[in-house]
Amino acid sequence: MPKLFGREPAIFLALAASVIKLLAAFVIDLSVDQQAVLNTVAAAVVGVLVAFIAVRDGQVAALLGLAQAALAAAVGFGLDMSAEDQAVLLSFVSVVLGMFERTQITAPMPADDVPTGEL
């Protein structure tokens, strides 16, 4: 899979979606519906790109994109949640997904091939 600055492209797409959300919440004067549409589209694009780009290591990014899209859609449909509360909720989701991801990572070499540190 092609890498961007040594990282999976999904991480940069997730960052772009988060920046758009922050700009919509604090810089650009948009209605709640406009923010929800913008955030949903950005998160959906990230999810689609991750689905096509990621082979094995993109599950967490795709799930986080789905969570972002679901939250943005909920706000668009009337959920009264501040931008700060949304950030806290998505941070929690990110940590939970990170805990799951940790259990899914395999070492690049078998444990018996790892040097023991003995000289």
Side-chain angles (χ1 to χ4, degrees), residues 58-91:
Q59 299 96 342
V60 169
L63 289 171
L64 186 56
L66 177 62
Q68 291 171 339
L71 180 58
V75 169
F77 283 103
L79 178 65
D80 185 21
M81 183 178 277
S82 70
E84 182 178 284
D85 289 344
Q86 292 177 44
V88 169
L89 178 61
L90 288 175
S91 294

Side-chain angles (χ1 to χ4, degrees), residues 7-9 15-17 20 29-31 36 43 47 53 57-58 63 66 71 83-84 87 99 119:
R7 303 270 185 206
E8 300 294 329
L15 176 62
I20 290 170
D29 187 24
L30 297 172
S31 71
I53 293 172
D57 298 329
L63 289 171
L66 177 62
L71 180 58
E84 182 178 284
M99 291 172 63
L119 297 178

